[in-house]
Amino acid sequence: MKKWNLIVDVDNCTNCNGCVLACHDEHFENDFPGYAAPMPKHGHSWIDIRQKVRGTSPVVDVAYLPVMCQHCDEAPCIAAAKNGAASKRADGIVIIDPAKAKGQKELIDSCPYGAIWWNEELQVPQHWIFDAHLLDAGWTEPRAQQSCATGAIRAVKVEDAEMLRIAEEEGLKHLNPELGTKPRVWYANLDRYTSCFIAGSIETEAKGIVDCVEGARIVLKRGGEQVQETVSDNYGDFKFDGLAEDGASYKVEISHDRLGSKSLDVKLKDSVYLGAISL
Amino acid sequence: MGATKFSLILFGLAQTLKIQARRYPAFAERLKEKNFTAQMRTKDGKAGRYFTFKDGKVISRKGLHPNPEVDLIFKDAKTAVGLLMPPIDQLKQINAIKDFNLALEGPDELTNWFTQTVMKSQTAGWKYGIDMGGGVTRYTNMTNGGPVFLYVKDGKILRMTPITFTEDDPEPWTIEAHGKKFTPPRKTSLAPHGMNWKSMVYSPDRLLYPMKRVDFDPNGERNPQNRGISGYERISWDEAFDIVANEIKRAKRVHGPGSIANSHGSHHTWGNVGYYLSANFRFVNAIGMTRVHHNPDSWEGWYWGASHHWGGSLRVGQSETYGGVEDCLQNSEMVVFWSSNPEGTSGSYGSYEGAIRRKWLKELGIKVVHIDPYYNDTAQFLGGKWLAPRPTTSPALALAIAYVWIDEDLYDKDYVEKRTHGFDKWRDYVMGKEDGVPKTPEWAAEETGVPAKDIRALAREWGTKRTYLGAGGWGNGHGGACRNATGIQWARTMVCLVAMQGLGKPGVSMGNLQWGTPVDTNFYFPGYAEGGMSGDLHHTAMSVELYQRMPQLPSMNTNDQLIPRLQLPEAIMNDKAEGYVWNGVSIEAQFNKISYPKPGFSPVRMLYKYGGSIIGTMSNSNRHVKMYQSKNLEFVVNQSIWFEGEAKFADVILPACTNFERPDISEWAALGGYAHHGQTQLNHRVIVFQHEVIKPMGESKSDYEIFNGICKRLGLSAYFSEGMTELDWVKRVFEASDLPKIISWKKFLRKGYVVLPAEKEELRAPVSWRWFYEGRKKDVPEPMPLPSDYTEEYLMGLQTQSGKLEFECESLKRFDAEDPERPPIVKYTPSWEGHRSEGVADKYPLQLITPHPRFSFHTQGDAKDSFINNIEEHRILVDGYYYWVIRMNPADAAARGITNRSLVNVHNDRAGVICAARLTERIRPGTVHGYESCANYDPLGEPGNSIDRGGCLNLLTPNRSQLKKGHSMAAAAALVEIVPWNGKDTAIGGGAKAGASAKKTGKSKVAVAAE
């Protein structure tokens, strides 16, 4: 049985809000009985783009994470819902029926992703329905995909085994897999949002002139073990990425054939730019 | 023989009116509107027929009526047959009017109704849109942010989407680079301000009825001092039209020519008939109005500066834009984005078409560098090295790069020798021979805050890699740093840098993949700047091509008095202003001075304002608030879609409808004129019929209908409308274009859009500047410069006097070689409102930059309770109010006790604006970032003299021109201080404490500069 999955590439999301606005356009003042009640004009982000700025000026990067209903196969909302208000369709899409779910505010807290929103006026919990109403009417893609200019959002309807193969091949991950919710939303390049980096700029002074040091070798060690190695670029910049935000201690060892070596200790909880390091 | 045919045609018309009324209920309803008799006859009265309209019935008889209210008179029967026999020849009709072979007599209300009814009898049966089943019809339209499908049911818009192509639409182009093939997706993209339109159409701020300020009495007390304070009452359209028409006559009668001014925004809702350069210009010219003459607001530094180095005056100082995407992907090794954020500015009209191409840049691993005080959206998307200079100091950074290139021999000496002029002079300045100050990286580091080592590293890499310089939003100009106090210097240095590296060499040019796709550049469809139905050959680009293709009555403004826009408030309040013109015809045209008032003309006493964007988009704009309260303005009418900005300062408000509520026709990103071939921003050329998808909201009317309504009261409606409805004009645009070659009108009305086939690979436009690099004749498909502007043989060389890239500008030498603000070679002079501004920078130590907004299109899409307000990078909700966002470095915020999302007072001597602080490492310390173009002016006390919580940061920006001998806004940067806002202070200043210190220090230099 082919089922829907959504693949979100964090590397290609620019926060243009095309998907967010398309969702709003689709649901504001539009009632789709059996799928979704109208969305309020303000206060809801059924597709919610979260921003993470790493580092400090002038060495920063920024990643955006669109978070929407994850259409979990082990959905906590389905477990929490009374009288079958939340249910799983055969094509994998989770629907919170607006009529059955009326008054079930507790569904908001059941979602560990914060992807269910409470409509105060209508007294219903609401979420991004994967544009199931459109897919059922013959659309081949949800509007979030149609409105995405960079191809950061892609819906695929495949067998679960095929999806696992795609996930493996493209390095896709789930948001908070430890929750065991088995989401049908997958993320590419999730590290850009969830991991942190250590960066620095190597320089040297000669005859009163400070210049960038290109080609220095930098080794990153954790608990004495080398975890990464890199070479500084023409700005003397280096960056170790994909590190866990776990507060671990690292040693950054810099060496250069001609200019000698230096080593720094870093305790990493958040991305850190070490600034200029003089050799 | 002619008489018989004429009789037959008239008989046929009578039958048509009756038949169409039977077939189409809307047409039958129209016939019920008037009871009168119209007649069509020959001048000698020997042939004719009359048509009596009575309670929806048409009674028609051959022969003459004794007393017809409307008389349509042809010179003779032969002439009449020639004009009325299908197919109708528009040129013949226009010539007949010009030669007085055709006359229309009677009151405008009836003549216009009659001719439009005759036209409507031809169009009544047209069918629009695609039936999607379930009572839903899919229509098309065009926004500033891209084309859209609209799904409509029961007269209400259900949804709007971008257009996904079907198998009937042509395949797009493919570019091969480094062994990879790149093809854009088969769909259109849509900017946020396009995707947001449903909330704009149904905004609670829509103006639904004509309104009059309660204490404005055209025959008594006018109370101009209460503009912006007193409220409004609903009036009828008849009353509104009467007041406006009477005020037009009154101003002319009492004050004489020049006394009425027209002021419009720089943009509009999309279309070729309804655009401001179209219907509005014909109206303005028909009335005779003083023009509020625009500064080249998106081009400033390029027009006033760069054009002297490389010509391009007809691109407002920018340059050719062809083939850049292919060349950049195939041949360049690095792209430097300098004050260039195409991901944020969408090429103005290019939606997100460029995003996919910059993604290919990423896929190919071509290096990128971003130079911007803010880690902008393009940097976020592409990554790469970020250099963050202090605002307004980029020219110093550029000089230091040139220094390294000269010092380390890293530039194309052969090219400089053969293709450029005056390099030695500039080299001497750069190296310090002229002024004793070598422009070293260390020198520039002091100025810019960018470490010297980074400047050197960039210069070395740039000097050894084939590099595209993306300067400004379009890559070769537009927006960004060209709009601040050193914008002219910056744009000039950008040209000098690419000239040193051999502009036109494979992989070496200006561009950021925003322009220069290989779309078809030979298929004709007019851009909006070609003036649509304006008939204006002087102030639009109509003479380039549209005038011959779409014959129409010419229009000409007999009133050639100009007000330089940046000084509109001074012109009104003091009856005096000076400036220089924006006229792209030649490099030298900008040296023409404007003096207001013009000898023999009246100063302005009535303002016809189109829209309400000025307070959020012009500079030091409390001046405009005060202007509106001036007694010198005896009458202000504002024609606006929404109740916002300065619409709230009018005496009479005329509610205009949106482009979704009137018919029009247009091509995506087809600008024409100064932005010739703007479609090369797109991956696909898409032309749409802009359906009237819903009826105008409330009593609002299209701009065309509003102008025509006023014209009817001035006897001008036949001239303004040429007897037609705007739908007829839409068809005339269609026929004027190349569209009839590829699609029938009927099919176009139904389907609503056409995607043009991609150009064959072998026929693609050549790469810009390659001809120049190779010393050949110009071969790119742009009609500029004009033939007389070549020094040597036609098409050989540039528009400059030498025909070369000029480091030392001969045009500036001729004009004023001693001008310290704009010397013949570009030099660095620190901003008069920058970190070195003595006595000001200590009081207002933060440098505010106000780039173009990302999510709204200037004021369009902002506020008005739109969806965009929900986007936290646009506005932040605090205690039930959506505040404008000011971005601060956490260190600057901490030093001021400011926390994330808290309310702050951004202020200087000019104004105070309450914003919500967004703390981010994306902005360099010492600089703060907030978009320009807030739509909502919301003063907390007396308008003009209190702080604003709407978010109009332009209240804070300097109105001083970048140069005295120009007319050039410098509003993209200002000095400010920011303090927490206590929720109570409403006076300008930083609250009680700051207010006291402001008193003590007296007028600062910011205030002096403002004068």
Side-chain angles (χ1 to χ4, degrees), chain A residues 11 14 24-26 29-30 41-42 51 57 62 64 143 146 150 203 210-211 234 237, chain B residues 156 158-160 164 187 198 359 362 367 380 385 453 456 461 854 865 870 873 921-922:
Chain A
D11 208 30
T14 66
H24 222 138
D25 175 86
E26 184 63 29
E29 291 191 341
N30 286 341
K41 197 163 193 185
H42 303 292
Q51 179 177 174
S57 172
V62 182
Y64 294 108
R143 293 192 59 184
Q146 183 192 34
T150 60
E203 62 180 40
V210 178
D211 253 327
N234 61 314
D237 290 347
Chain B
K156 194 162 191 313
L158 288 181
R159 72 173 61 89
M160 295 176 55
T164 301
K187 63 180 183 179
K198 201 170 93 177
K359 188 177 154 184
K362 201 162 149 178
K367 283 192 82 166
Q380 183 277 328
K385 180 68 178 174
K453 58 173 184 160
R456 222 167 357 251
E461 187 168 31
R854 183 176 194 201
D865 199 37
N870 297 325
E873 285 283 0
E921 289 288 346
R922 296 176 69 166

Side-chain angles (χ1 to χ4, degrees), chain B residues 94 275-288 531-536 540 542 547 550-557 704 707 711 716-723 729 732:
Chain B
I94 295 299
Y275 210 78
Y276 78 82
L277 284 141
S278 182
N280 179 52
F281 273 22
R282 177 177 283 241
F283 173 72
V284 165
N285 291 350
I287 304 294
M533 61 164 288
S534 67
D536 190 333
T540 75
M542 186 173 280
Y547 192 52
M550 187 167 138
Q552 55 185 288
L553 292 176
S555 75
M556 193 175 277
N557 195 346
Y704 181 94
F707 293 136
C711 282
L716 282 166
S717 68
Y719 172 68
F720 174 79
S721 69
E722 296 185 9
W729 281 99
R732 283 168 75 172

